Amino acid sequence: MTGPNSYDAERADLKAQINVLARLVDISVTLSSTLDFQRLINYIITAAAELLEAEVASLLLYDDKQNELRFFAATGGDPSELAKIPVPLNASIAGTIFRENRAIIINDVSKDSRHFRKVGEKVNFHSKMLLGVPMRIKDRVTGVLEALNKKTGSGFTEFDARIFSIIASQAAVAIENARLVTALQEAYADLGKLDKMKSDFIAIASHELRTPLGVILGYATFLREDAKGETGQYAQAVFDSAVHMRKLVEDMTNLRFMEVGQMPVQREAVNLHELLAEARQDTLVLAEAKGQKILLLPCDPPLVAQADRAKLIVAVSNLINNAIRYTPDGGAVELSVYRKDDEAWLQVKDNGRGISPRNLESIFDGFYQVEDHMTRKSGGLGIGLSIVRNTMKLLGGRVWAESPGEGRGSTFICALPLTAKS
Ligand code: ADP
C-alpha cells in the first residue's frame, strides 16, 4: 500500500538522486579540465568517497610489467605505504573486478574469501562493505575504483554502482590524458636536451675548425703568391678549397642564428656607418683574394639606430660575403647607408651574376639555393639570407633584394627604423 509517507520518502529519494547527478556533472567538468596527474587522482578519490558517502575510496591502476594492480591513491591511510603493496589479480576482489570487467558490490566483506586482507592490515583499516568498478577506455580495463564502508543506509546500491561506473570511465580517460601529457612533456624536455647537445657540438666543432683553417688559408696565400707554374695552380686549388671551407665553417657557426627570432634582443645605439666599416674589414681578405674592391660610401650626418649590434653585424657580413662570392674576380662591391624617411637603409650592391626576378624572394628561405648544390662552386649551406631576414624582422626592420636580372648585379637593402634622436 502506498500512503503519503512512502510518497514523501520516494520524493526525498528522488531529490537525493538528482543531487548526486548534479554533483556528478561538476565532477565530470573538473575531470576533463585537470591535467596534473597527482592532483587528478587525488580529486577522483575524494569526489568518489564524498558522492557515495563512503568512509574511504581508493584507486588502483594496472601495472602491465608486473601483471598486478597497484594502489595509486586512497582517502585516509598513507598513499606511499599503500603504493608499496602489490594487489594480485587472482586473489583479490579488485583483481576479480579487473579480470571480469564488471562492478562488484559486497555488503559483508568479512564473509568473502576473495578479500585481500593484507591491505587493511597494513593501513589499519577494517573493510565491511565494498563497491568496486572497473576503469575502462573502450574495451581495455586500466584499473579499479573502490569505495569502502557506506556511512549511511544499509550498504552500497545498484544506483551507487552506476554512478561509480560513470566516474570510473571518465577518470580512466582523464588519467590517460594526463599520462600522455606528462609523457609528451618529458619527451619534449628530452628533445630540448638533445637539441642543445647538437647545437653545442656544432658550436664547438666549428670553433675548433677555425684555427687550423686559418693556418691553411695563411700558408696557401703565401704559396699562391710565390709559387710558379704547376705548383702555383696547386696552391690556388688549396686556397680556393680553404676559402670554400671557411664559408661552411662560418655557416656552421651562424646556424644558431637561424632561430634568431627566439633570441633576446640587446639594443644599443649603433652608428651604422661604423658598423659597415667593421663588416667590410672582416671580409677584405676574401675580396682581395678575388681581386675585388669593396667601396664604402661616406654618410653625413651619421646615422644611429637602436639595434642589436652583434646580430646586425652577422647579418650585414652575410650580405657582403655573398656579394663577394657571387661576383666574378675583379668585380666591385659598394656599401652605403643613408636616411629614407624615418628609416636607415643599409645597402650592399655588387656587379656580379645578379638574380632572376623569380628568385628574388625565395632566396630568403632557409636552405634555398638558386644553383643545384652538386654543381655549385660558391657553396655555403643556404642559410645566410634567411638569417638576415630573421634578424631584420627581430629588429623591427625589413630586407629585400633588387636586381635588373641575371648577369647584371644585385643590391640588397636592409631598412631599419631610426631612433627619434638620429
Ligand atoms: P648560400 O650563399 O650559402 O647559398 P644564402 O642564403 O646566403 O646561402 O643565399 C641563398 C642564395 O641566394 C644563394 O645560393 C645564391 O643563389 C643567391 N644569392 C645570394 N646573394 C647573392 C648575390 N649577391 N648575387 C647573386 N645571387 C645571390
Side-chain angles (χ1 to χ4, degrees):
M1 225 178 85
T2 51
N5 282 350
S6 81
Y7 178 71
D8 285 349
E10 261 176 42
R11 269 185 67 118
D13 205 27
L14 212 60
K15 225 170 144 186
Q17 291 192 358
I18 290 172
N19 282 340
V20 168
L21 290 174
R23 182 77 185 103
L24 190 62
V25 173
D26 289 344
I27 295 170
S28 308
V29 172
T30 311
L31 282 185
S32 53
S33 59
T34 311
L35 281 173
D36 180 280
F37 188 74
Q38 202 53 49
R39 267 187 50 210
L40 186 70
I41 44 183
N42 287 341
Y43 176 77
I44 293 166
I45 51 163
T46 314
E50 178 214 311
L51 199 67
L52 266 71
E53 297 179 315
E55 279 177 17
V56 167
S58 51
L59 189 152
L60 299 94
L61 291 179
Y62 177 59
D63 177 344
D64 58 353
K65 287 194 195 81
Q66 305 294 334
N67 192 31
E68 64 198 11
L69 289 163
R70 268 197 188 260
F71 278 98
F72 260 73
T75 54
D78 179 356
S80 57
E81 274 299 310
L82 277 174
K84 289 182 202 146
I85 315 169
V87 176
L89 293 189
N90 290 324
S92 67
I93 298 173
T96 312
I97 296 167
F98 180 86
R99 278 186 290 110
E100 296 179 9
N101 188 6
R102 65 181 175 95
I104 290 184
I105 301 175
I106 303 168
N107 278 325
D108 190 354
V109 171
S110 61
K111 293 206 181 102
D112 197 297
S113 61
R114 293 167 300 185
H115 182 46
F116 187 58
R117 278 166 230 291
K118 214 164 150 190
V119 181
E121 283 158 18
K122 187 98 185 173
V123 293
N124 215 358
F125 181 81
H126 181 54
S127 347
K128 289 169 283 200
M129 309 160 189
L130 180 149
L131 162 59
V133 291
M135 292 170 54
R136 285 189 278 252
I137 297 176
K138 293 189 181 146
D139 294 336
R140 187 163 55 94
V141 184
T142 57
V144 171
L145 196 58
E146 282 183 345
L148 298 174
N149 300 355
K150 182 138 177 134
K151 289 190 266 187
T152 55
S154 51
F156 291 112
T157 62
E158 284 299 326
F159 180 71
D160 289 336
R162 259 183 284 152
I163 294 292
F164 214 35
S165 296
I166 295 173
I167 298 187
S169 43
Q170 294 202 347
V173 174
I175 288 173
E176 188 80 346
N177 284 346
R179 273 181 161 172
L180 286 175
V181 168
T182 311
L184 264 178
Q185 282 166 341
E186 283 167 7
Y188 189 70
D190 285 350
L191 265 181
K193 275 187 222 149
L194 273 179
D195 192 52
K196 180 160 180 336
M197 276 169 71
K198 179 207 74 189
S199 303
D200 287 352
F201 170 75
I202 292 176
I204 294 168
S206 53
H207 184 82
E208 292 301 313
L209 281 171
R210 272 164 176 259
T211 316
L213 197 55
V215 176
I216 296 173
L217 255 174
Y219 282 113
T221 311
F222 292 142
L223 280 175
R224 201 178 52 142
E225 280 159 13
D226 293 347
K228 308 242 162 8
E230 218 171 58
T231 319
Q233 284 170 25
Y234 298 153
Q236 182 66 41
V238 172
F239 180 83
D240 290 345
S241 297
V243 167
H244 185 165
M245 219 169 136
R246 189 175 105 153
K247 166 67 182 153
L248 289 176
V249 170
E250 267 166 17
D251 274 3
M252 276 167 71
T253 316
N254 287 340
L255 263 177
R256 69 199 165 97
F257 284 97
M258 286 284 275
E259 303 295 324
V260 81
Q262 286 150 33
M263 290 181 177
V265 184
Q266 280 161 1
R267 287 188 191 270
E268 59 183 297
V270 181
N271 179 318
L272 298 173
H273 188 264
E274 282 174 18
L275 183 115
L276 281 182
E278 202 179 311
R280 176 180 179 273
Q281 197 59 38
D282 288 349
T283 42
L284 265 185
V285 185
L286 212 62
E288 277 164 9
K290 290 188 79 177
Q292 295 174 349
K293 296 246 170 311
I294 309 186
L295 194 69
L296 172 58
L297 300 187
C299 170
D300 193 22
L303 284 175
V304 177
Q306 284 296 325
D308 187 316
R309 189 184 170 76
K311 292 191 184 69
L312 194 57
I313 203 148
V314 170
V316 171
S317 302
N318 268 318
L319 293 180
I320 305 177
N321 208 299
N322 279 354
I324 299 169
R325 287 187 301 125
Y326 296 112
T327 298
D329 291 4
V333 177
E334 186 188 278
L335 312 177
S336 58
V337 57
Y338 51 93
R339 185 174 196 128
K340 181 94 179 175
D341 301 326
D342 42 12
E343 286 180 331
W345 283 23
L346 290 124
Q347 195 169 285
V348 179
K349 188 175 174 185
D350 65 60
N351 62 356
R353 70 171 205 201
I355 301 162
S356 85
R358 67 169 190 284
N359 285 321
L360 282 175
E361 255 310 298
S362 37
I363 51 173
F364 289 96
D365 294 343
F367 302 103
Y368 182 90
Q369 299 180 316
V370 175
E371 290 174 302
D372 187 285
H373 78 280
M374 299 297 282
T375 52
R376 66 203 311 264
K377 286 178 279 168
S378 17
L381 294 176
I383 62 167
L385 291 180
S386 106
I387 291 173
V388 178
R389 178 147 284 175
N390 288 346
T391 306
M392 294 314 293
K393 232 190 249 168
L394 189 73
L395 298 178
R398 296 164 290 138
V399 60
W400 67 96
E402 292 174 0
S403 171
E406 276 170 85
R408 300 170 63 196
S410 324
T411 304
F412 285 80
I413 300 160
C414 297
L416 259 186
L418 283 169
T419 55
K421 271 183 266 156
S422 60

